[in-house]
Amino acid sequence: MKLGRVKKVQLSESANGIKSPTRPPKQSNNSNVESAMLAVNHSDELESHCPPAPVINSSGNSENWMVLSVAGETPVPRFNHAATVVGNKMIVVGGESANGLLDDVQVLNFDTFSWTMASSKLYLSPSNLPLKIPSCKGHSLVSWGKKALLVGGRTDPANDKVSVWSFDTETECWSVMEAKGEIPVARSGHTVVRASSVLILFGGEDAKKKKLNDLHMFDLKSLTWLTLQCTGTRPSPRSNHIATLYDDKTLFVFGGASKSRTLNDLYSLDFETMVWSRIKIRGFHPSPRAGCCGILCGTKWYIAGGGSRKKRHAETFIYDILKSEWSVAITPLPSSITTNKGFSLVLVQHKDKDFLVAFGGCKKEPSNQVEVLIIEKNESSMGRRSTLSKSVGQMQFAKRSSSAGPASQMINGSSQSSVASAAKQNLASVIEHGSDDRSGALSAPTSIYQFYDTRMASLSRKNGILEVQLATALASRDTAERTLAAALKSKEEMEKKFADAMKEMELLKEKLTGIELAHEEANNLSNIVHSDNVRLEHDVAFLKAVLDDTQKELHSTRGVLAGERARAFQLQVEVFHLKQRLQSMENRAPTPRKPFNV
């Protein structure tokens, strides 16, 4: 298959004789494909009754994204849903379709490669009311044993706090986890990762579209939420980012959308020191993107899709955690669903192979297509998978490879050394018979010798890898135990701090009560002073009116007095004139009277 071509294929067939979903690729000039096909054809000659595994490019590069052919009732096309893997099934919950939000549960079985819709039976709540998950989008889905946990999301009807629902894949029943503690505010576009029996939630967007960068822990055993306090350079508030947990002790956060721009920064949080740090750019750094999907496979973090409001990105990147370096793994065609908005991505380990499975999304219309990307074995062999399950897988593969010859009777041990010794004895018998009868069916011992030699070398390498993985698993378990002890100690310290905080809160409440009483007394005094001021203002206004009347009367009295004074002065002047006239009359000589004649 040429790079960039999207083919419609199926992964593998079951041991019950189901038709192989993997279609053999056409002949091409690509030597890698030819060598891969020769390897598959050679193994098919020796194990005709066993199902062929998916073709892996022998050059060291993974195949491109390929459309997976599945049967069953196809789910409703959707985007902004969530998916996770429980056992050999991919669980898809909710999302958004062309007709609105969804609340269904779709199951893709990787044994039969067929879709089924879960019945989603309902438990009864303590109030005897049936429980049903709300329609949701932008939520997170993580696996825990045989259960799928739905955390947060934008729901209809809406919630004030983050809710946690549990879906049992065996009984197909939903139940709500009655959480306690410091329950985070409801949000969507957040990330949730699981470490043992603890969920780690980071960031997202609340109902008012405010970006968040808070960190919370949910203990699945005690059903208690706890807000984690960290130091260092923490990521800025964001949503629609991706996060992963490496070795149960380091959290990585990449990209997302802030309030005003799209991000492509990378941060890590060390849970042993609880310190955030920003990782410097090395290699081919991805462009800013939000809404991408990320899957950790071993020490490599696969990141697909994403984009900004103006452009979607098609590349599939790999971030090597040990090397702290970016690289481009795949550049699919624009028709791939990894260029869609709101698709989901999960890691599937099927028949000793690792696959990335992408589902859904929306470009112009919602999609229900499934695509897979085959990951080369040595890229994921350093992952933290169960050593026991891998050993069993290697044993079964060795049995299938040797079932065509008499060595199948000798492969009954429980270790790779028994397989190697059986192969050596088989090889000796083949060479001996070949030297006796070169014209028989085993007349070509050289090619068979080469095949068994190659098989023995491969088994030896796998045995070495298993030993390394066992040592790594033991070291990881010790680290996990230390981390758990540190977490328990941190929990005790946080509980003590919480008790101290409660005491301080009680003291503050008492102080607040005293302040409220003092404030009430001050209000009463203020009311009294206000009433006195109003009364004084009335009295002053009345006195001003009386003063104005008095001034008017005084002014009129002054006018009357001025008139009386003027009259008195005039009388004085008249008296003076009368006095002068009287004096002049007294000073005048008397005139003799004439006799009166009768």
Side-chain angles (χ1 to χ4, degrees), residues 303-315:
I303 298 175
S308 59
R309 295 180 179 178
K310 298 180 180 179
K311 183 180 179 181
R312 304 294 301 177
H313 303 294
E315 305 92 351

Side-chain angles (χ1 to χ4, degrees), residues 24-182:
K26 297 180 180 180
Q27 294 293 332
S28 64
N29 295 328
N30 193 332
S31 61
N32 297 328
V33 176
E34 292 177 358
S35 60
M37 286 302 298
L38 288 174
V40 172
N41 293 335
H42 194 184
S43 62
D44 287 343
E45 293 176 359
L46 293 177
E47 45 179 349
S48 58
H49 71 285
C50 297
V55 178
I56 298 179
N57 197 322
S58 61
S59 65
N61 296 324
S62 301
E63 296 282 358
N64 208 332
W65 288 99
M66 298 173 291
V67 177
L68 180 65
S69 177
V70 293
E73 184 178 354
T74 307
V76 176
R78 67 191 65 204
F79 61 103
N80 290 334
H81 55 278
T84 189
V85 173
V86 178
N88 60 344
K89 300 176 181 179
M90 180 175 72
I91 311 298
V92 178
V93 178
E96 188 174 2
S97 68
N99 298 323
L101 296 183
L102 302 170
D103 61 354
D104 58 340
V105 179
Q106 302 290 338
V107 179
L108 178 58
N109 192 315
F110 289 102
D111 287 339
T112 61
F113 293 96
S114 61
W115 283 104
T116 56
M117 182 174 179
S119 59
S120 299
K121 301 173 185 177
L122 305 178
Y123 281 141
L124 293 180
S125 64
S127 59
N128 292 328
L129 296 177
L131 295 176
K132 182 177 176 60
I133 62 168
S135 303
C136 53
K137 69 174 183 178
H139 48 284
S140 295
L141 199 66
V142 295
S143 61
W144 184 40
K146 297 181 180 180
K147 297 180 180 180
L149 306 180
L150 188 153
V151 184
R154 186 167 300 174
T155 60
D156 184 18
N159 293 325
D160 295 332
K161 300 292 184 179
V162 168
S163 59
V164 182
W165 292 80
S166 174
F167 179 74
D168 193 318
T169 57
E170 292 185 343
T171 61
E172 295 187 347
C173 290
W174 280 107
S175 61
V176 65
M177 291 185 166
E178 299 292 345
K180 55 187 177 181
E182 304 171 354

